[in-house]
C-alpha cells in the first residue's frame, strides 16, 4: 500500500517535471483572446476591429512557467 502510493507520487512528479520543462522551453502560447490573430473583431460590426489588449497584436502571450 505504502509502496504503491510512493509509485503514484513519483509518476506524478515525473509528469509535472516534463510539463514544466516543456513550458520552460516553449514560453509562448497562442493568445486565448484573439486566437493568435492579434485583433478583436467587433460583435456588432464584423468589419471593425481593435488591437487585442491581451497580446498587443502579437497574437502570442507568455504561458505559465515561461522563462524570460
Ligand atoms: Zn491577443
Amino acid at each position: 500500500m505504502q509502496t504503491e502510493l510512493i509509485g503514484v507520487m513519483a509518476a506524478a512528479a515525473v509528469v509535472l517535471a516534463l510539463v514544466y520543462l516543456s513550458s520552460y522551453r516553449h514560453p509562448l502560447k497562442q493568445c486565448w483572446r484573439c486566437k493568435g490573430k492579434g485583433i478583436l473583431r467587433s460583435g456588432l460590426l464584423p468589419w471593425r476591429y481593435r488591437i487585442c489588449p491581451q497580446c498587443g497584436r502579437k497574437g502570442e502571450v507568455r504561458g505559465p512557467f515561461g522563462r524570460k
Side-chain angles (χ1 to χ4, degrees):
M1 186 65 190
Q2 194 71 20
T3 359
E4 285 175 19
L5 187 63
I6 290 173
V8 167
M9 284 174 71
V14 167
V15 169
L16 272 179
L18 283 177
V19 168
Y20 176 81
L21 265 182
S22 190
S23 304
Y24 181 80
R25 294 182 65 180
H26 312 90
L28 294 176
K29 67 187 182 100
Q30 196 179 64
C31 176
W32 57 271
R33 267 186 107 161
C34 61
K35 307 284 194 305
K37 288 195 293 293
I39 54 173
L40 291 174
R41 295 210 171 272
S42 164
L44 290 173
L45 308 168
W47 59 92
R48 301 293 295 259
Y49 63 87
R50 61 192 170 92
I51 294 173
C52 171
Q54 180 79 11
C55 62
R57 210 163 192 170
K58 290 196 304 289
E60 294 170 326
V61 291
R62 196 173 296 283
F65 312 124
R67 73 193 147 183
K68 285 191 179 157

mmCIF file of all heavy atoms in Angstrom, residues 31-40 52-57 59-61, ligand 1:
data_model
loop_
_atom_site.group_PDB
_atom_site.id
_atom_site.type_symbol
_atom_site.label_atom_id
_atom_site.label_comp_id
_atom_site.label_asym_id
_atom_site.label_seq_id
_atom_site.Cartn_x
_atom_site.Cartn_y
_atom_site.Cartn_z
ATOM 1 N N CYS A 31 -2.484 33.460 -28.123
ATOM 2 C CA CYS A 31 -3.339 34.282 -27.284
ATOM 3 C C CYS A 31 -4.754 33.714 -27.250
ATOM 4 O O CYS A 31 -5.350 33.447 -28.286
ATOM 5 C CB CYS A 31 -3.354 35.704 -27.838
ATOM 6 S SG CYS A 31 -4.460 36.802 -26.945
ATOM 7 N N TRP A 32 -5.287 33.533 -26.058
ATOM 8 C CA TRP A 32 -6.602 32.892 -25.942
ATOM 9 C C TRP A 32 -7.722 33.855 -26.300
ATOM 10 O O TRP A 32 -8.834 33.443 -26.601
ATOM 11 C CB TRP A 32 -6.809 32.367 -24.523
ATOM 12 C CG TRP A 32 -6.674 33.441 -23.469
ATOM 13 C CD1 TRP A 32 -5.518 33.814 -22.841
ATOM 14 C CD2 TRP A 32 -7.705 34.267 -22.937
ATOM 15 N NE1 TRP A 32 -5.784 34.830 -21.959
ATOM 16 C CE2 TRP A 32 -7.123 35.125 -21.989
ATOM 17 C CE3 TRP A 32 -9.086 34.372 -23.182
ATOM 18 C CZ2 TRP A 32 -7.855 36.081 -21.285
ATOM 19 C CZ3 TRP A 32 -9.801 35.321 -22.472
ATOM 20 C CH2 TRP A 32 -9.189 36.154 -21.534
ATOM 21 N N ARG A 33 -7.424 35.160 -26.284
ATOM 22 C CA ARG A 33 -8.498 36.115 -26.560
ATOM 23 C C ARG A 33 -8.753 36.272 -28.044
ATOM 24 O O ARG A 33 -9.894 36.309 -28.484
ATOM 25 C CB ARG A 33 -8.151 37.478 -25.964
ATOM 26 C CG ARG A 33 -8.725 37.652 -24.577
ATOM 27 C CD ARG A 33 -8.481 39.043 -24.075
ATOM 28 N NE ARG A 33 -9.709 39.813 -24.088
ATOM 29 C CZ ARG A 33 -9.880 40.932 -23.383
ATOM 30 N NH1 ARG A 33 -8.907 41.373 -22.619
ATOM 31 N NH2 ARG A 33 -10.996 41.573 -23.425
ATOM 32 N N CYS A 34 -7.686 36.394 -28.827
ATOM 33 C CA CYS A 34 -7.852 36.662 -30.257
ATOM 34 C C CYS A 34 -7.488 35.439 -31.080
ATOM 35 O O CYS A 34 -7.493 35.503 -32.288
ATOM 36 C CB CYS A 34 -6.989 37.846 -30.675
ATOM 37 S SG CYS A 34 -5.230 37.582 -30.403
ATOM 38 N N LYS A 35 -7.142 34.339 -30.443
ATOM 39 C CA LYS A 35 -6.780 33.091 -31.121
ATOM 40 C C LYS A 35 -5.584 33.286 -32.046
ATOM 41 O O LYS A 35 -5.498 32.674 -33.095
ATOM 42 C CB LYS A 35 -7.966 32.537 -31.920
ATOM 43 C CG LYS A 35 -9.239 32.388 -31.115
ATOM 44 C CD LYS A 35 -9.174 31.176 -30.204
ATOM 45 C CE LYS A 35 -10.549 30.836 -29.664
ATOM 46 N NZ LYS A 35 -11.189 31.974 -28.976
ATOM 47 N N GLY A 36 -4.683 34.177 -31.674
ATOM 48 C CA GLY A 36 -3.448 34.344 -32.422
ATOM 49 C C GLY A 36 -3.533 35.347 -33.554
ATOM 50 O O GLY A 36 -2.560 35.554 -34.261
ATOM 51 N N LYS A 37 -4.676 35.969 -33.764
ATOM 52 C CA LYS A 37 -4.813 36.913 -34.871
ATOM 53 C C LYS A 37 -4.288 38.295 -34.492
ATOM 54 O O LYS A 37 -3.946 39.081 -35.360
ATOM 55 C CB LYS A 37 -6.275 37.025 -35.300
ATOM 56 C CG LYS A 37 -6.761 35.769 -36.023
ATOM 57 C CD LYS A 37 -8.063 36.013 -36.758
ATOM 58 C CE LYS A 37 -9.223 36.274 -35.841
ATOM 59 N NZ LYS A 37 -9.580 35.092 -35.041
ATOM 60 N N GLY A 38 -4.279 38.613 -33.202
ATOM 61 C CA GLY A 38 -3.777 39.906 -32.771
ATOM 62 C C GLY A 38 -4.821 41.002 -32.775
ATOM 63 O O GLY A 38 -4.527 42.131 -32.400
ATOM 64 N N ILE A 39 -6.003 40.697 -33.245
ATOM 65 C CA ILE A 39 -7.074 41.698 -33.284
ATOM 66 C C ILE A 39 -8.348 41.087 -32.713
ATOM 67 O O ILE A 39 -8.535 39.871 -32.737
ATOM 68 C CB ILE A 39 -7.352 42.196 -34.724
ATOM 69 C CG1 ILE A 39 -7.626 40.999 -35.645
ATOM 70 C CG2 ILE A 39 -6.192 43.029 -35.248
ATOM 71 C CD1 ILE A 39 -8.067 41.399 -37.034
ATOM 72 N N LEU A 40 -9.199 41.955 -32.199
ATOM 73 C CA LEU A 40 -10.501 41.516 -31.706
ATOM 74 C C LEU A 40 -11.574 42.156 -32.575
ATOM 75 O O LEU A 40 -11.644 43.385 -32.696
ATOM 76 C CB LEU A 40 -10.685 41.951 -30.242
ATOM 77 C CG LEU A 40 -9.790 41.241 -29.224
ATOM 78 C CD1 LEU A 40 -9.979 41.878 -27.857
ATOM 79 C CD2 LEU A 40 -10.101 39.767 -29.161
ATOM 80 N N CYS A 52 -5.845 43.674 -30.014
ATOM 81 C CA CYS A 52 -6.071 42.885 -28.811
ATOM 82 C C CYS A 52 -5.227 43.430 -27.654
ATOM 83 O O CYS A 52 -4.005 43.533 -27.774
ATOM 84 C CB CYS A 52 -5.709 41.430 -29.100
ATOM 85 S SG CYS A 52 -5.701 40.402 -27.635
ATOM 86 N N PRO A 53 -5.857 43.813 -26.551
ATOM 87 C CA PRO A 53 -5.084 44.366 -25.434
ATOM 88 C C PRO A 53 -4.301 43.295 -24.678
ATOM 89 O O PRO A 53 -3.368 43.604 -23.935
ATOM 90 C CB PRO A 53 -6.166 44.992 -24.542
ATOM 91 C CG PRO A 53 -7.400 44.200 -24.840
ATOM 92 C CD PRO A 53 -7.297 43.778 -26.285
ATOM 93 N N GLN A 54 -4.669 42.057 -24.881
ATOM 94 C CA GLN A 54 -4.005 40.981 -24.138
ATOM 95 C C GLN A 54 -2.587 40.741 -24.655
ATOM 96 O O GLN A 54 -1.656 40.561 -23.893
ATOM 97 C CB GLN A 54 -4.837 39.701 -24.269
ATOM 98 C CG GLN A 54 -4.262 38.508 -23.546
ATOM 99 C CD GLN A 54 -4.561 38.555 -22.073
ATOM 100 O OE1 GLN A 54 -5.372 39.370 -21.627
ATOM 101 N NE2 GLN A 54 -3.914 37.716 -21.306
ATOM 102 N N CYS A 55 -2.420 40.765 -25.984
ATOM 103 C CA CYS A 55 -1.124 40.415 -26.562
ATOM 104 C C CYS A 55 -0.521 41.573 -27.343
ATOM 105 O O CYS A 55 0.596 41.468 -27.849
ATOM 106 C CB CYS A 55 -1.281 39.196 -27.475
ATOM 107 S SG CYS A 55 -2.383 39.485 -28.866
ATOM 108 N N GLY A 56 -1.231 42.712 -27.477
ATOM 109 C CA GLY A 56 -0.685 43.845 -28.220
ATOM 110 C C GLY A 56 -0.393 43.511 -29.658
ATOM 111 O O GLY A 56 0.622 43.921 -30.210
ATOM 112 N N ARG A 57 -1.276 42.795 -30.305
ATOM 113 C CA ARG A 57 -1.227 42.432 -31.721
ATOM 114 C C ARG A 57 -0.177 41.376 -32.057
ATOM 115 O O ARG A 57 0.066 41.075 -33.207
ATOM 116 C CB ARG A 57 -0.989 43.686 -32.582
ATOM 117 C CG ARG A 57 -1.624 43.546 -33.962
ATOM 118 C CD ARG A 57 -1.754 44.882 -34.642
ATOM 119 N NE ARG A 57 -2.616 44.735 -35.807
ATOM 120 C CZ ARG A 57 -3.085 45.749 -36.503
ATOM 121 N NH1 ARG A 57 -2.804 46.974 -36.166
ATOM 122 N NH2 ARG A 57 -3.860 45.540 -37.522
ATOM 123 N N GLY A 59 -0.367 38.289 -31.047
ATOM 124 C CA GLY A 59 -1.051 37.010 -31.213
ATOM 125 C C GLY A 59 -0.510 35.938 -30.289
ATOM 126 O O GLY A 59 -0.953 34.796 -30.339
ATOM 127 N N GLU A 60 0.489 36.314 -29.493
ATOM 128 C CA GLU A 60 1.084 35.331 -28.591
ATOM 129 C C GLU A 60 1.146 35.918 -27.192
ATOM 130 O O GLU A 60 1.407 37.105 -27.017
ATOM 131 C CB GLU A 60 2.504 34.970 -29.025
ATOM 132 C CG GLU A 60 2.569 34.238 -30.344
ATOM 133 C CD GLU A 60 3.998 34.117 -30.828
ATOM 134 O OE1 GLU A 60 4.790 35.057 -30.575
ATOM 135 O OE2 GLU A 60 4.313 33.105 -31.443
ATOM 136 N N VAL A 61 0.921 35.104 -26.214
ATOM 137 C CA VAL A 61 1.086 35.516 -24.826
ATOM 138 C C VAL A 61 1.993 34.493 -24.143
ATOM 139 O O VAL A 61 2.126 33.357 -24.585
ATOM 140 C CB VAL A 61 -0.270 35.604 -24.084
ATOM 141 C CG1 VAL A 61 -1.098 36.763 -24.612
ATOM 142 C CG2 VAL A 61 -1.034 34.310 -24.205
HETATM 143 ZN ZN1 LIG B 1 -4.499 38.570 -28.412
#
